[in-house]
Amino acid sequence: MTALTGTRAPTPVVRAGRRRPAARAAAWVRAHRRALVWLSPVLAVGAVVNLVNLGGAPQRIDDEGTYTAQAWAVTNLGELAHYTYWYDHPPLGWLQLAAYTELTGAFARWDVAVLAAREAVVVASLIATVLLWVLARRVGLSRPAAAATGLIFLVSPLALQFHRTVYLDNVAVPWLLLAFVLATNRNRQLAAFAGSAVAFGVAVLSKETFLLALPVLVWVMLRASHRETRRYTLSVAASLLVLIGGSYLLLAAVKGELFSGADRVSLMDGIVFQLSSRAGSGSLTDPDSLLNRTLGMWWQLDQVFIVLGLLSAVAALFLRRLRPYAALVLGLALFMLRPGGYVPVPYVIALLPFGALLIAGVAGDAVARLRARGATGAGPRTGPSRSSRRARSWRSRCGAPSCAASCSRTSTGRCARPRHGSRRTCPVTSAWSWTTPCGWTWCGPAGTAGTSSGTTSSTPTRRSAPSLPTAGAISTT
Amino acid sequence: MTTPFIVRHSDSPPGPLLTPEPVPAGAPTDVPNRGLDTGLLDATRDGTAFDWSAVAGYSALVLLALGLTVVAATTLWWMLYAWRSKGTLESTGFSRTPHAPTSTFTLLVPGRHEEEVLGQTLDTLAAQTHPHVQIIAIVGDDDPGTEAVAREAAARHPDRVQVVVDDSVPKNKPKALNRALPFATGDVVGVFDAEDEVHPDLLRHIDSRFTETGAVVVQGGVQLMNFRTSWWSLRNVLEYYFWFRSRLHFHAGANFIPLGGNTVFVRRDALERNHGWDAECLAEDCELGVRLSSQGAKVVVAYSPDYVTREETPGSLKSLYKQRTRWNQGFLQVLRKGEWRALPTRSQRTFARYLLAMPFLQAATGLLIPLSVCLILFAKVPTVVALLTFVPLAPTLVTLAVEVAGLGEFGRLYGEKVRARDYARLILGTVPFQVFLALAALRAVFREARGTRNWEKTEHTGAHRETGTEAVSPAPEAARQQVAA
């Protein structure tokens, strides 16, 4: 669990072998106390804001009823859906909802079944916040910036509207974040990349649109991978991902529903429907198009987040460590506007964590830059400013010249990269060293991979569930 | 309210926040089974319809599948040990510049009907750059051809090579080694096979490894080279690659290691204390490793493609079959002999038991995967059970992907071009090779049960030496010339 800060404990790691659990927990808390001080208020505020008036707003919609009923059918009927499961979405999303409601007895706690599922997705968002913190620390954000990331992610009006709505996207987000966290591991990469592939597979099988993040995940993984072990770490990750995807095909094959046939549903029919049968969302130029109504709803909810998110995504393209996530946000945004495409209303959910990350990351970088300038340009002082002090202490801790403003190039033409995986990252300095010609940059192949737009050409788009007469009507008393 | 794109109703107050509805979706009209199936609920709630025998069958199937998954997954994980992290990979090699030599070495080279290859092997060993090397060639008293070759080599290198004649009946490798052990004078005793191709600097690195680690045993890498000879030789080569490159390091770390048959170096005092090798065991190398591990001896493994000992696969599928039978039977004997019971902790003992039974578990994996596929195809089972029976396939397929990656790396490291045909052979050979391994394991069980314990020798002809008897791989050749110069 050293992953909470994304780095190792500053104290020497003691082998926890035979110590009592209580002592181990105490040591863990001591080692991560600063992370806990920053993160727990964020989680507390987020939990309160997201759980208060859970049933009152927003208005319940048919999708919520569908997914809740399907989750109910899993545990109560032993079936994947209350009607015939027709491969509209992969079932892992509501299987997880079912697991949550079964394990916590959520259906018995609420008199409206949908609220049990709402509770489950809020919990998923809180888990996602912890993972987002780890990811933010991994990419070099300071603790305050990482806390701000979590806060934006949890209390932005867009988040407030969507995090409590029973959308499968909410279930998939923690898995996607976990995939990114594991893909940026510097140690034990074989296990980490295998885990990343599995987490991403779960995300995609929870909500198929998350497949759009694959190019960026591959980019992040390639960039983090050690050259010596890459051949194996990437083969294992790739094969696991293919296997998990294959398990969905296997499900259909075992049920005898792989190809379309008379009088039965099939996976093929489901995919054909999602990809080609549905009407597009219309165009931006048509004021009454579904696309414009969807965008209008998002805009009405949170203009600040949308504007800042897009602006910081553009700015973050110039910051090496945030670049993949900027590409992800911009890529998803552009994909949304493709002509004739269908944009589901919850599409924005996948963008929320990364938008929050970019806003806080770019702001943190700007602050660090201003402070650094203030420290160097303010003339003689009695003592070093806080930021320069911190930067210097990072420099000494990292023990690598590239952490300093003057980046030394090695004979191979690459910048020596601080061994941030081995001990700890240098949050402030890393942000601050983006100002240097190559800072943390590995001016090698990884840096050149930055052309990925984060999109794929053919991806199943999401459709809201078929309008079922009894959607949302199943409740327990 | 304004959107960034369209201005509309700019004067009116914000409207209610409504989730936009898509155009009424054209849901498929031919979806059957709409409406709640009342039979469904009844079936789940009807206790009398509960079929216990079916549940027992399903549970057995699921347990079998999970067991197979565990076997396949642990095998895969151990096979990948060296690449777990960058640090692990770095720890598996020799240090770049060896320490100055501190130990003296005795190399034992048993040869039996191997006059074609023994002479050259002894020459290579005599050309070691380590200053203190004694080489003992061991030949049988009923094998004049090999003895003549050994004597010629001794005449060429009088200061280094000696010949010991083994007169035991019946003959086997551990007896030959034990026969020569009293003549050994070095601090460290190493074993090589008659067909081995050894790097001239190997002993210096091994010596350095002893100095750095204070180990009792150092196991060097062995690599089969002739992956193009046949479909099974390709698989056999990869087995060796993963075993010595990765898996053995895992065993060394776990303090329980079945040693390899050659390029293995043991401190002489430890050998003498243990009265040498077990002459009755068919896998004397494994047995020695288990015995030393159980005594808590420190075993170190080092692999570097440059200093690896090159060998050839057995000449035919039949002799590979016999060799594999012998190894499996040897593992069984070690399991029965029970030296591993001396291991200090329960988890180590469990591990030892699991490991020594591994050839049989693997054989079972190979045989039961087709069985479970058949079950799924022909037996009517619930969807979940059917899906679970496929789980063992996952680690197997990942293993295949890793093998493909390993073949590519093997080709790059040893300068051999790996063609598309080789990859195809690798993939197509998976199932036949599993069946082959399973048959060898079954034969070993039969032989052990019937008490047949004679030694089936593997013949070698020098297929890994590129042209006849003269050519050796470029690296050792060049190095030897440097030594001569």
Side-chain angles (χ1 to χ4, degrees):
Chain A
M1 279 306 290
T2 50
L4 188 61
T5 56
T7 54
R8 289 209 169 240
T11 48
V13 181
V14 185
R15 277 234 167 262
R18 298 272 151 79
R19 283 189 302 164
R20 282 182 304 124
R24 238 186 296 174
W28 185 88
V29 169
R30 260 199 309 283
H32 297 96
R33 61 186 181 281
R34 296 217 277 167
L36 291 172
V37 164
W38 279 102
L39 183 57
S40 31
V42 173
L43 286 175
V45 169
V48 169
V49 169
N50 279 285
L51 284 169
V52 167
N53 196 21
L54 189 67
Q59 185 193 36
R60 293 199 292 279
I61 56 167
D62 61 350
D63 277 10
E64 297 188 88
T66 305
Y67 300 137
T68 308
Q70 285 170 334
W72 183 88
V74 170
T75 47
N76 287 276
L77 300 180
E79 296 284 325
L80 281 177
H82 46 301
Y83 294 137
T84 303
Y85 170 61
W86 63 281
Y87 303 92
D88 48 346
H89 300 293
L92 210 49
W94 63 86
L95 281 173
Q96 292 172 70
L97 291 181
Y100 179 85
T101 51
E102 183 71 6
L103 289 175
T104 64
F107 279 136
R109 245 197 323 276
W110 298 89
D111 52 1
V112 178
V114 169
L115 301 189
R118 281 196 169 188
E119 182 193 300
V121 291
V122 168
V123 169
S125 296
L126 293 175
I127 295 171
T129 311
V130 177
L131 292 165
L132 186 58
W133 164 277
V134 179
L135 184 64
R137 297 286 291 154
R138 281 274 165 84
V139 297
L141 267 63
S142 62
R143 285 190 192 86
T149 307
L151 210 58
I152 298 170
F153 172 66
L154 279 177
V155 305
S156 136
L158 260 176
L160 213 53
Q161 165 91 9
F162 284 107
H163 279 164
R164 58 171 63 176
T165 313
V166 187
Y167 281 126
L168 298 177
D169 306 64
N170 281 320
V171 182
V173 160
W175 292 104
L176 182 65
L177 289 171
L178 180 63
F180 276 110
V181 164
L182 290 174
T184 47
N185 248 36
R186 300 289 296 173
N187 298 319
R188 301 198 194 129
Q189 278 192 338
L190 186 66
F193 283 13
S196 176
V198 171
F200 186 71
V202 173
V204 172
L205 287 191
S206 302
K207 180 69 193 208
E208 64 278 8
T209 47
F210 279 54
L211 193 59
L212 288 173
L214 181 61
V216 178
L217 182 69
V218 171
W219 176 13
V220 167
M221 215 182 248
L222 269 176
R223 198 154 90 149
S225 63
H226 296 296
R227 198 173 44 78
E228 299 87 341
T229 55
R230 185 179 291 169
R231 182 185 289 272
Y232 294 96
T233 51
L234 295 180
S235 317
V236 169
S239 51
L240 278 174
L241 188 58
V242 169
L243 281 172
I244 291 176
S247 71
Y248 188 44
L249 300 182
L250 187 65
L251 170 72
V254 164
K255 284 162 70 94
E257 297 170 343
L258 196 53
F259 302 106
S260 51
D263 289 334
R264 64 172 161 85
V265 298
S266 71
L267 177 60
M268 203 186 215
D269 289 342
I271 293 174
V272 165
F273 170 75
Q274 294 283 16
L275 286 183
S276 56
S277 304
R278 19 187 355 148
S281 296
S283 109
L284 260 187
T285 50
D286 172 12
D288 288 323
S289 67
L290 180 62
L291 177 64
N292 254 327
R293 280 185 291 143
T294 303
L295 293 178
M297 180 206 185
W298 297 348
W299 183 251
Q300 186 182 352
L301 278 165
D302 195 352
Q303 299 150 1
V304 179
F305 180 87
I306 292 172
V307 171
L308 283 183
L310 289 174
L311 286 179
S312 25
V314 172
L317 284 177
F318 299 96
L319 304 176
R320 182 185 180 273
R321 302 196 74 183
L322 287 178
R323 197 175 297 145
Y325 309 100
L328 178 62
V329 166
L330 293 175
L332 285 178
L334 288 177
F335 184 76
M336 190 165 68
L337 302 180
R338 74 201 184 284
Y342 172 71
V343 180
V345 173
Y347 185 86
V348 73
I349 291 177
L351 289 161
L352 289 175
F354 300 103
L357 178 72
L358 295 177
I359 293 172
V362 170
D365 174 63
V367 169
R369 211 179 286 213
L370 286 175
R371 282 186 170 183
R373 190 175 298 168
T376 52
R381 279 192 180 201
T382 49
S385 74
R386 192 166 160 233
S387 64
S388 69
R389 255 201 324 271
R390 198 185 299 177
R392 203 166 51 199
S393 77
W394 273 120
R395 229 172 295 159
S396 58
R397 250 180 281 179
C398 287
S402 56
C403 256
S406 59
C407 168
S408 62
R409 275 179 182 267
T410 60
S411 56
T412 56
R414 286 185 178 181
C415 288
R417 188 181 169 87
R419 296 184 307 121
H420 62 286
S422 59
R423 233 28 239 171
R424 46 190 325 179
T425 49
C426 314
V428 172
T429 325
S430 56
W432 170 81
S433 65
W434 290 331
T435 60
T436 64
C438 51
W440 288 67
T441 320
W442 217 358
C443 313
T448 56
T451 50
S452 168
S453 65
T455 60
T456 53
S457 53
S458 67
T459 306
T461 50
R462 186 198 165 276
R463 159 192 193 278
S464 45
S467 36
L468 303 168
T470 57
I474 296 172
S475 64
T476 54
T477 48
Chain B
M1 198 62 222
T2 58
T3 71
F5 315 101
I6 306 295
V7 180
R8 52 172 168 159
H9 311 305
S10 51
D11 297 331
S12 59
L17 190 64
L18 292 178
T19 302
E21 275 292 315
V23 183
T29 51
D30 55 342
V31 176
N33 202 19
R34 288 270 150 154
L36 194 60
D37 181 358
T38 47
L40 203 63
L41 273 178
D42 291 348
T44 52
R45 285 175 186 165
D46 190 1
T48 54
F50 205 70
D51 185 354
W52 283 106
S53 62
V55 169
Y58 298 155
S59 314
L61 206 54
V62 169
L63 282 179
L64 185 68
L66 294 183
L68 290 179
T69 310
V70 168
V71 172
T74 47
T75 310
L76 171 64
W77 189 235
W78 295 342
M79 170 177 164
L80 284 167
Y81 174 83
W83 300 284
R84 269 174 204 200
S85 68
K86 197 175 162 216
T88 319
L89 188 66
E90 282 163 358
S91 72
T92 59
F94 289 109
S95 42
R96 290 201 182 282
T97 47
H99 289 248
T102 52
S103 307
T104 54
F105 279 80
T106 297
L107 305 181
L108 307 182
V109 189
R112 184 148 181 79
H113 305 301
E114 280 165 313
E115 52 267 55
E116 288 177 36
V117 288
L118 181 64
Q120 197 190 342
T121 302
L122 291 174
D123 287 342
T124 325
L125 290 176
Q128 282 291 321
T129 56
H130 194 284
H132 309 294
V133 184
Q134 175 200 23
I135 299 160
I136 302 181
I138 312 154
V139 291
D141 57 354
D142 56 351
D143 185 9
T146 313
E147 184 178 347
V149 170
R151 300 249 178 242
E152 282 165 23
R156 283 198 299 277
H157 313 282
D159 52 334
R160 290 205 152 179
V161 179
Q162 289 165 258
V163 180
V164 167
V165 177
D166 172 28
D167 53 1
S168 61
V169 180
K171 296 191 181 2
N172 66 25
K173 187 174 169 187
K175 281 185 189 169
L177 296 173
N178 284 336
R179 186 79 180 77
L181 190 55
F183 299 95
T185 57
D187 307 331
V188 173
V189 175
V191 179
F192 286 99
D193 287 336
E195 77 277 15
D196 285 350
E197 196 168 285
V198 185
H199 192 281
D201 289 333
L202 176 71
L203 287 189
R204 295 209 42 178
H205 283 91
I206 295 286
D207 194 355
S208 177
R209 203 74 182 149
F210 272 109
T211 313
E212 292 154 20
T213 60
V216 176
V217 182
V218 173
Q219 168 76 58
V222 182
Q223 185 57 59
L224 303 181
M225 296 305 296
N226 54 322
F227 71 98
R228 291 214 186 98
T229 314
S230 59
W231 69 270
W232 51 268
S233 75
L234 172 66
R235 286 241 146 227
N236 201 197
V237 165
L238 270 187
E239 274 188 317
Y240 266 66
Y241 183 65
F242 282 108
W243 183 262
F244 284 98
R245 181 79 197 83
S246 178
R247 169 100 181 238
L248 264 186
H249 299 274
F250 164 74
H251 288 306
N255 294 320
F256 180 79
I257 183 167
L259 292 172
N262 67 67
T263 324
V264 57
F265 300 87
V266 187
R267 290 212 165 268
R268 186 158 57 92
D269 48 358
L271 266 180
E272 285 171 350
R273 201 168 54 239
N274 280 288
H275 309 292
W277 288 264
D278 180 349
E280 301 309 315
C281 187
L282 289 174
E284 84 293 341
D285 39 9
C286 163
E287 198 277 336
L288 181 69
V290 170
R291 200 151 24 122
L292 291 172
S293 306
S294 305
Q295 293 164 7
K298 178 165 183 174
V299 181
V300 170
V301 181
Y303 185 96
S304 158
D306 299 332
Y307 305 114
V308 77
T309 297
R310 297 176 182 220
E311 283 193 351
E312 55 168 305
T313 60
S316 67
L317 192 58
K318 194 176 162 197
S319 70
L320 177 65
Y321 183 58
K322 286 182 177 172
Q323 183 198 47
R324 205 43 67 96
T325 307
R326 175 162 67 76
W327 289 359
N328 288 342
Q329 201 177 345
F331 266 60
L332 259 193
Q333 288 176 339
V334 175
L335 183 66
R336 274 166 43 139
K337 193 175 170 192
E339 294 275 357
W340 49 271
R341 286 180 212 278
L343 285 165
T345 67
R346 179 192 290 268
S347 65
Q348 274 178 303
R349 289 192 292 274
T350 311
F351 176 59
R353 202 191 285 260
Y354 179 54
L355 181 78
L356 291 170
M358 197 45 132
F360 309 98
L361 294 174
Q362 261 176 297
T365 319
L367 285 185
L368 287 173
I369 285 180
L371 181 70
S372 62
V373 172
C374 287
L375 269 175
I376 294 151
L377 290 179
F378 302 113
K380 185 72 186 155
V381 296
T383 307
V384 177
V385 176
L387 286 178
L388 282 175
T389 50
F390 274 103
V391 173
L393 214 53
T396 311
L397 291 176
V398 176
T399 304
L400 189 58
V402 168
E403 283 168 345
V404 168
L407 181 58
E409 188 176 64
F410 175 85
R412 193 177 55 80
L413 281 178
Y414 292 99
E416 303 270 358
K417 186 158 170 51
V418 183
R419 299 158 300 182
R421 194 194 316 170
D422 298 315
Y423 287 111
R425 265 180 173 177
L426 174 70
I427 293 166
L428 294 177
T430 310
V431 174
F433 200 71
Q434 278 290 332
V435 172
F436 169 81
L437 290 181
L439 289 177
L442 289 176
R443 179 158 175 262
V445 176
F446 274 125
R447 279 172 60 91
E448 185 63 20
R450 285 179 32 209
T452 318
R453 299 197 178 114
N454 62 317
W455 186 281
E456 297 180 299
K457 172 84 181 71
T458 318
E459 302 88 25
H460 291 286
T461 56
H464 61 303
R465 292 181 177 159
E466 282 153 7
T467 50
T469 53
E470 271 309 300
V472 285
S473 72
E477 181 65 29
R480 202 165 35 197
Q481 282 164 355
Q482 279 175 359
V483 172

